[in-house]
Amino acid sequence: MAATLMRSLVKKRVPLQVGRMCYSSSVSTTKLFIDGKFVESKSPEWLDIHNPATNEVIGRVPKATHEEMLAAVDSCSRAYQTWSETSILARQQIFLRYQQLIKDNIKELAKLITLEQGKTLADAEGDVFRGLLSVHQGAKNHGVVMPDANKENTLNQLVGAAFGAAGQRCMALSTAILVGEARNWLPELVERAKGLRVNAGDQPGADVGPLISPQAKERVNGLIRSGVDEGAKVLLDGRNVKVKGYENGNFVGPTIVSNVTPDMKCYKEEIFGPVLVVLEADSLDDAIKIVNKNPYGNGTAIFTTNGAAARKYTHEVDVGQIGVNVPIPVPLPMFSFTGSRASFRGDTNFYGKQGIQFYTQIKTVTSQWKAEDATLKSPAVTMPTMGR
């Protein structure tokens, strides 16, 4: 089904429209894709899509009607009958072709993501292959910096992980814990962050794009303000950043807030913006206590050149995904996405073997072919067991 959709788009040379059909107005509308065909929705309710860099309406999507939803489900049910009889080899070939079509059109697909989400083009290209449905449970990802860490590498990693995608990643490294003498690196951390360029995501050289909506911008600004009210110090303030030509955009520049304590609102809540909150700890044990006391257990990282410290951290911290000198420890698809505690709900991960099993209907077939069965004279009333 997916391969058929992408193939039809390529044939029609409409990668930038992805199912949209322009009408007399300048705003395009999105068609529904049901049973292998694009169909015009009959819904009376539509949602506007805004470009986060300008807040202009760039498209409209329908709230599908109940009948349209049932038609889509019925189409999937019918397709399942054929798909379930398709061999693994044939399925692989279909998805390999689908993958190639995505690669061939990755620039156009990335532009769509940038227009709708505000991501930079380079970041959007990385997201093209990650079309996963997930329920975001919340996160507060900590980066613990030991004084023996490689300073240059660590500062670059912190800045990239905190402010990439404007901090709008569930795996963004939104909290730094500077241990011991590492607290002296703060001025250099601020200087690195100042060097990032804030602009619309489709502009050359942009490092940080806009937030997804005006509401998101207001929420981020409010959490920064709450930190100040509670005694934190803003070392780098991105609340009043102005982007020439995009004055109506949802921009917040890189922001670093220090003197943060675990009881502050800006620490307890997920900011989901280009904001790095900084805490300090006297020892690795103290840092571990801070991380484990936080209700979320999505991802964390430790920066150190000491193998013993890294081993202690990975063993004692109660977080599902841990990086050692890796700021965003997102596993490759062959491993499970293992967020824990308040960052995970359910008992099945969508990566790795569990993800494959989730999409597979398991069937158990038990067969017995014994020559002596043909000569049995009486029924067996006991539970059959192996070897009998």
Side-chain angles (χ1 to χ4, degrees):
M1 183 76 74
T4 302
L5 166 60
M6 184 59 70
R7 190 181 301 111
S8 67
L9 295 180
V10 174
K11 283 183 177 179
K12 295 179 181 179
R13 301 288 184 184
V14 291
L16 286 177
Q17 297 299 316
V18 185
R20 290 179 181 164
M21 182 175 180
C22 294
Y23 292 88
S24 57
S25 69
S26 60
V27 177
S28 58
T29 58
T30 301
K31 287 189 174 185
L32 301 175
F33 189 72
I34 301 175
D35 205 20
K37 299 182 291 293
F38 288 111
V39 297
E40 198 72 55
S41 175
K42 297 180 180 179
S43 174
E45 298 182 77
W46 293 72
L47 297 174
D48 290 339
I49 301 174
H50 297 261
N51 180 348
T54 62
N55 274 313
E56 295 176 330
V57 177
I58 58 174
R60 302 174 72 227
V61 295
K63 290 185 177 180
T65 66
H66 184 69
E67 291 74 18
E68 290 166 345
M69 185 273 292
L70 291 178
V73 172
D74 183 59
S75 172
C76 293
S77 298
R78 293 195 307 272
Y80 171 77
Q81 299 300 322
T82 303
W83 186 250
S84 64
E85 297 296 329
T86 304
S87 70
I88 294 296
L89 184 61
R91 297 185 193 190
Q92 288 176 335
Q93 294 303 313
I94 290 172
F95 277 95
L96 285 173
R97 291 198 299 271
Y98 180 41
Q99 182 185 66
Q100 188 58 51
L101 286 168
I102 293 175
K103 288 181 178 179
D104 292 343
N105 294 272
I106 195 167
K107 297 294 184 183
E108 290 78 7
L109 294 171
K111 288 178 184 178
L112 281 177
I113 293 175
T114 296
L115 280 175
E116 295 186 2
Q117 300 180 18
K119 289 177 178 287
T120 62
L121 286 172
D123 198 32
E125 285 191 24
D127 271 3
V128 168
F129 282 99
R130 299 188 62 198
L132 299 171
L133 173 65
S134 62
V135 180
H136 177 58
Q137 298 297 321
K140 200 69 177 181
N141 305 318
H142 300 77
V144 173
V145 181
M146 300 300 292
D148 60 58
N150 182 304
K151 183 192 289 188
E152 288 295 310
N153 180 62
T154 299
L155 292 177
N156 287 331
Q157 298 274 37
L158 283 176
V159 169
F163 305 121
Q168 297 174 118
R169 294 188 182 116
C170 65
M171 291 299 296
L173 203 64
S174 58
T175 306
I177 303 177
L178 306 183
V179 179
E181 295 302 312
R183 60 172 56 94
N184 298 327
W185 299 1
L186 257 178
E188 293 172 82
L189 179 64
V190 171
E191 288 304 311
R192 297 289 172 95
K194 282 182 179 179
L196 296 179
R197 293 159 293 186
V198 181
N199 209 333
D202 60 351
Q203 295 302 299
D207 296 310
V208 180
L211 294 173
I212 190 67
S213 67
Q215 294 79 11
K217 177 180 178 179
E218 179 56 34
R219 181 176 183 276
V220 169
N221 287 341
L223 286 169
I224 297 171
R225 187 165 55 247
S226 74
V228 175
D229 293 342
E230 293 180 308
K233 184 178 181 181
V234 179
L235 300 181
L236 179 62
D237 195 341
R239 287 176 288 180
N240 296 314
V241 66
K242 301 296 181 184
V243 179
K244 187 176 180 180
Y246 297 93
E247 288 77 12
N248 294 325
N250 309 316
F251 293 97
V252 175
T255 299
I256 297 178
V257 184
S258 66
N259 293 353
V260 175
T261 57
D263 60 314
M264 293 182 179
K265 183 178 181 181
C266 65
Y267 170 78
K268 292 189 291 185
E269 293 193 16
E270 183 177 17
I271 298 180
F272 218 63
V275 180
L276 178 67
V277 297
V278 181
L279 291 78
E280 297 180 4
D282 293 328
S283 67
L284 179 57
D285 284 323
D286 292 336
I288 292 173
K289 288 177 182 177
I290 292 174
V291 176
N292 286 346
K293 191 174 181 180
N294 190 278
Y296 296 114
N298 198 37
T300 188
I302 183 171
F303 299 91
T304 182
T305 56
N306 188 310
R311 181 177 175 83
K312 175 182 175 66
Y313 189 74
T314 58
H315 276 247
E316 296 184 13
V317 77
D318 186 12
V319 176
Q321 299 169 116
I322 305 168
V324 177
N325 298 317
V326 176
I328 302 180
V330 178
L332 295 173
M334 63 280 294
F335 301 112
S336 291
F337 191 94
T338 49
S340 61
R341 295 186 283 157
S343 295
F344 181 75
R345 177 172 293 177
D347 56 4
T348 301
N349 294 294
F350 56 82
Y351 276 176
K353 292 182 179 179
Q354 291 187 9
I356 294 173
Q357 290 174 349
F358 178 82
Y359 290 105
T360 304
Q361 177 65 49
I362 304 299
K363 180 187 292 184
T364 301
V365 178
T366 304
S367 299
Q368 180 173 263
W369 304 95
K370 295 195 301 185
E372 56 267 31
D373 287 347
T375 60
L376 287 177
K377 302 299 184 182
S378 62
V381 295
T382 58
M383 184 70 178
T385 58
M386 290 297 293
R388 293 170 52 186

